[in-house]
Amino acid sequence: MTSTVPPPATAEVAGGVQRLYRRRDGRLLAGVARGLAQHLGVDTIAVRVLFVVLAAFGGAGVLAYILFWVFAPLDRSGADRPMDRQRDVTTLLALGSLAVGTLLLLRALGLGFDLGLALPLLAVAAGVVILWRQADDDARVRWRQVTGTERWSGAARAFGGGALILLGAGAILVGPADLDGTWGGLVAALVVTMGLALISGPWWMRMARDLAAERNARIREQERAEVAAHVHDSVLHTLTLIQRHVDDPRVVSQLARAQERELRGWLYRPRADASVTAAMERVAADVEDAHAVTIEVVVVGDCPLDDRLAAVRDATREALVNAAKYAGDSAITVYAEVAPGHVTVFIRDRGPGFDMAAVPADRLGLRQSVVGRMARHGGSAVVRSVAGEGTEVQLEMPRDVRSSS
Amino acid sequence: MTEGRVRVVLVDDHRMFRSGVRAELGSAVDIVGEAEDAQSAISVIAQTRPDVVLLDVHLPGGGGRAVLAALVGELPDVRFLALSVSDAPEDVISVIRGGARGYVTKSITGPELAAAVRRVAEGDAVFSPRLAGFVLDAFAATTDVATVDEDLDRLSQREREVLRLIARGYTYKEVGKALFISVKTVETHVSAVLRKLQLSNRHELTRWATSRRLV
């Protein structure tokens, strides 16, 4: 028995759970026992003995082994040691015990030690083992450079395995199978189908596995490309602009702030103006960028944006633009509150303020775009301004709970 | 504590920011120490016993929370004012519940910061508009479950009004003027809200903070 010190378990983790891999290094047959031992952290021999013991119970061990073989992928990172004579002998030994196990399985299924049936079945089993084992190695060929002779021996083995299966199936057909009875045709068809399935099985499995792997890789690649494109369009662009404006701290901080917000938004927020919060923050961001002011947005509660609330958003934008134009350097605050029955927004600046009555009736942007707009959509707007203390615009819109078009 | 200048320790992992704050606060306060991570902050604060610690929320070595956890019980005379660029409600609520007397964003102006430091030194709470908004959101009036401690779990109508005005960008003075109350009364209300925020174990608070994590 080859009892090497087990190499450290593979660090490949899928979805936080370590996957079970079959191991190439130090394997006898397909590396199932070795992979299991590695996975569970127990000795390989113990696992092998367990399989053999289980095989005595109606061949359960053989069945388990075959299932593991089919469903656990081969670990490709394992050390790849050249085959030597001694290992070939141990492999034969393993094959032999598998065969005995198979016979036990057959007996348990009630088929008995009918030599006429057992021998062809044994041939089929041997063919399957050789073929499937070869399929594992074929998979490896695509990952590593393999020398020409090894490739040839691989092809020879695959061919041999296929031939053994065909031979076994043929023997069953001409031998014990009672082809003259009512079920004769059916049995023949079944045997042929099974044989073909066994021969082509490894390739089907491989194709399915490759397909899944390729799709995963493609999805990952797409994600990466999207991130790269975004970083390029936004962050790198901003960094270039910042380098060009090193002498103007105001521009630099404006650029940095806009970029930070944009990046945060891209990382964490829903993309569209789907909610009041998102809409308010977008509007504030736009005005900040266009007018080089600082706007602090506080939203309490949230709800989806409908037509009326879109009007509130537009009115907020106008009020903010107005504040940005006249408030100078001082901070602007937006406070929006979503209550069950209505939405209220306050836009406050600490600019010089003005006397409402002193402004000519035809020259007030607020009157048209804010007060008028709110009124048209069924809401209201109040502008309060005290000279020297700043201006506050209050918008209020009743919420229509039913329609949200 | 109002006699003389307020003694301040500055904790932030960015040296640039520390020197910026130093310059902005200027002669308004007396900066007696600086630290750049949680460990050094704890020792500097224990040594200098300042009136106020300006504490960054995000620090190497456990963040502002670690500093608060180590010192709030030990040094009851030292007051903490959280200072951060982070807008994540979870972070804000966690430092407040850790024992900070207030929260301001780093975009605050020099004079405003000086006023906030003085206010905290006097034992009052400092709420930025954003923190006020968070509290209003977390203590939404809609929930009406039979909770263990009704007083702690609910904001009074007056407290709600005060917070709403702070969220709208009003200074304490303006809040007082708008509600026809004194600045002292406004401070009392804000401190009461801070106490509720720190002591309430209302599960909505935690749930709210975690549900808003991705901001």
Side-chain angles (χ1 to χ4, degrees):
Chain A
M1 285 274 168
T2 44
S3 55
T4 46
V5 181
T10 41
E12 240 179 294
V13 169
V17 181
Q18 181 156 16
R19 283 195 65 173
L20 169 68
Y21 284 100
R22 288 180 289 119
R23 312 278 311 184
R24 276 190 61 78
D25 52 322
R27 67 175 177 173
L28 286 182
L29 257 179
V32 168
R34 188 127 177 87
L36 261 180
Q38 199 97 99
H39 189 71
L40 301 173
V42 294
D43 191 53
T44 315
I45 309 243
V47 180
R48 283 179 183 147
V49 168
L50 187 72
F51 271 120
V52 171
V53 170
L54 279 178
F57 291 99
V62 178
L63 201 64
Y65 194 96
I66 290 170
L67 287 177
F68 272 122
W69 190 346
V70 172
F71 290 112
L74 187 71
D75 176 22
R76 307 195 194 287
S77 64
D80 198 15
R81 291 182 313 169
M83 298 252 218
D84 51 35
R85 285 252 158 248
Q86 203 234 325
R87 281 217 36 224
D88 271 354
V89 173
T90 49
T91 302
L92 267 177
L93 211 73
L95 271 173
S97 45
L98 190 74
V100 172
T102 311
L103 286 179
L104 286 170
L105 178 67
L106 288 178
R107 196 173 63 172
L109 293 173
L111 291 170
F113 275 124
D114 179 6
L115 220 59
L117 185 62
L119 279 181
L121 279 179
L122 209 59
V124 170
V128 166
V129 168
I130 292 173
L131 206 61
W132 283 57
R133 195 160 187 258
Q134 183 51 37
D136 282 349
D137 290 346
D138 275 352
R140 181 177 51 107
V141 169
R142 287 174 300 125
W143 294 83
R144 271 164 218 244
Q145 280 300 329
V146 175
T147 56
T149 51
E150 208 173 324
R151 199 178 299 229
W152 272 113
S153 81
R157 275 194 281 162
F159 182 77
L164 266 175
I165 293 176
L166 286 178
L167 214 70
I172 292 174
L173 286 182
V174 297
D178 177 18
L179 294 181
D180 303 328
T182 337
W183 299 98
L186 204 63
V187 170
L190 200 70
V191 168
V192 170
T193 315
M194 290 264 288
L196 286 178
L198 283 174
I199 292 173
S200 59
W203 282 276
W204 286 113
M205 296 279 300
R206 200 174 74 198
M207 208 186 285
R209 236 176 243 164
D210 285 359
L211 218 63
E214 198 205 336
R215 202 173 46 217
N216 278 343
R218 206 172 48 230
I219 290 170
R220 227 172 287 146
E221 179 58 32
Q222 258 171 17
E223 281 283 293
R224 208 198 66 81
E226 199 188 322
V227 171
H230 186 268
V231 168
H232 179 269
D233 290 352
S234 60
V235 179
L236 287 182
H237 189 67
T238 305
L239 286 175
T240 316
L241 283 176
I242 284 176
Q243 283 170 29
R244 254 184 235 156
H245 291 97
V246 276
D247 302 329
D248 191 344
R250 195 180 155 91
V251 174
V252 169
S253 82
Q254 191 190 339
L255 283 168
R257 193 173 158 82
Q259 184 55 61
E260 180 206 332
R261 198 176 38 237
E262 200 262 348
L263 203 56
R264 268 178 196 275
W266 186 69
L267 287 173
Y268 303 126
R269 294 223 173 86
R271 276 152 214 216
D273 276 359
S275 69
V276 170
T277 308
M280 287 298 156
E281 281 171 0
R282 246 276 298 284
V283 163
D286 289 351
V287 177
E288 269 190 345
D289 292 348
H291 297 272
V293 288
T294 310
I295 300 173
E296 172 134 33
V297 183
V298 177
V299 183
V300 170
D302 206 355
C303 70
L305 202 71
D306 58 17
D307 283 351
R308 286 170 156 194
L309 296 179
V312 174
R313 176 195 61 194
D314 296 342
T316 304
R317 186 193 301 270
E318 287 308 318
L320 280 174
V321 168
N322 211 65
K325 274 186 195 154
Y326 299 110
D329 263 352
S330 65
I332 301 169
T333 324
V334 176
Y335 172 66
E337 188 173 333
V338 180
H342 59 272
V343 172
T344 319
V345 182
F346 296 90
I347 300 101
R348 178 175 172 90
D349 70 63
R350 306 200 156 270
F354 58 90
D355 185 359
M356 286 282 281
V359 179
D362 58 328
R363 264 220 62 229
L364 185 58
L366 281 177
R367 195 162 283 164
Q368 275 306 316
S369 55
V370 177
V371 183
R373 174 178 275 131
M374 290 301 288
R376 276 200 300 281
H377 288 84
S380 62
V382 182
V383 181
R384 280 182 288 264
S385 187
V386 179
E389 280 182 25
T391 308
E392 187 175 53
V393 179
Q394 176 180 348
L395 312 174
E396 191 160 331
M397 181 67 79
R399 265 176 79 190
D400 189 354
V401 183
R402 277 168 295 112
S403 93
S404 57
S405 52
Chain B
M1 207 154 298
T2 38
E3 78 274 12
R5 292 193 301 171
V6 181
R7 298 172 70 246
V8 173
V9 164
L10 204 51
V11 183
D12 194 291
D13 53 337
H14 294 107
R15 200 156 46 84
M16 286 250 294
F17 181 77
R18 288 204 304 272
S19 50
V21 169
R22 211 178 243 282
E24 274 189 337
L25 286 178
S27 55
V29 302
D30 189 8
I31 294 179
V32 296
E34 288 183 18
E36 58 180 9
D37 58 38
Q39 277 312 310
S40 61
I42 291 168
S43 60
V44 166
I45 294 164
Q47 241 167 44
T48 54
R49 303 282 178 115
D51 301 318
V52 176
V53 177
L54 279 177
L55 185 64
D56 191 8
V57 174
H58 295 284
L59 279 180
R65 275 214 90 166
V67 179
L68 289 166
L71 295 177
V72 166
E74 299 275 313
L75 306 168
D77 291 341
V78 178
R79 268 119 188 188
F80 294 86
L81 176 59
L83 193 62
S84 175
V85 283
S86 163
D87 295 329
E90 206 188 24
D91 296 335
V92 178
I93 297 295
S94 86
V95 289
I96 296 293
R97 283 174 77 86
R101 300 285 302 167
Y103 169 85
V104 290
T105 43
K106 282 183 177 174
S107 53
I108 193 170
T109 63
E112 278 174 333
L113 183 58
V117 167
R118 186 155 288 279
R119 183 157 277 137
V120 169
E122 285 163 6
D124 291 315
V126 172
F127 275 31
S128 65
R130 191 165 285 271
L131 176 56
F134 286 166
V135 176
L136 281 172
D137 210 352
F139 284 84
T142 48
T143 45
D144 202 331
V145 276
T147 36
V148 190
D149 199 337
E150 291 265 314
D151 273 358
L152 279 180
D153 297 341
R154 194 167 294 161
L155 298 181
S156 73
Q157 191 54 41
R158 203 50 156 178
E159 286 160 358
R160 218 173 269 283
E161 282 168 4
V162 168
L163 283 183
R164 204 168 276 135
L165 286 170
I166 292 174
R168 277 160 65 178
Y170 282 53
T171 62
Y172 285 17
K173 203 172 133 201
E174 287 165 339
V175 173
K177 206 170 136 198
L179 296 178
F180 305 106
I181 53 179
S182 71
V183 174
K184 200 67 221 163
T185 314
V186 174
E187 284 169 349
T188 312
H189 284 307
V190 175
S191 295
V193 173
L194 182 84
R195 201 174 68 88
K196 289 180 183 180
L197 198 56
Q198 285 173 342
L199 298 182
S200 166
N201 40 30
R202 214 174 104 125
H203 59 281
E204 275 88 359
L205 202 59
T206 336
R207 205 170 56 203
W208 172 83
T210 38
S211 74
R212 284 275 189 128
R213 183 178 301 178
L214 291 180
V215 172

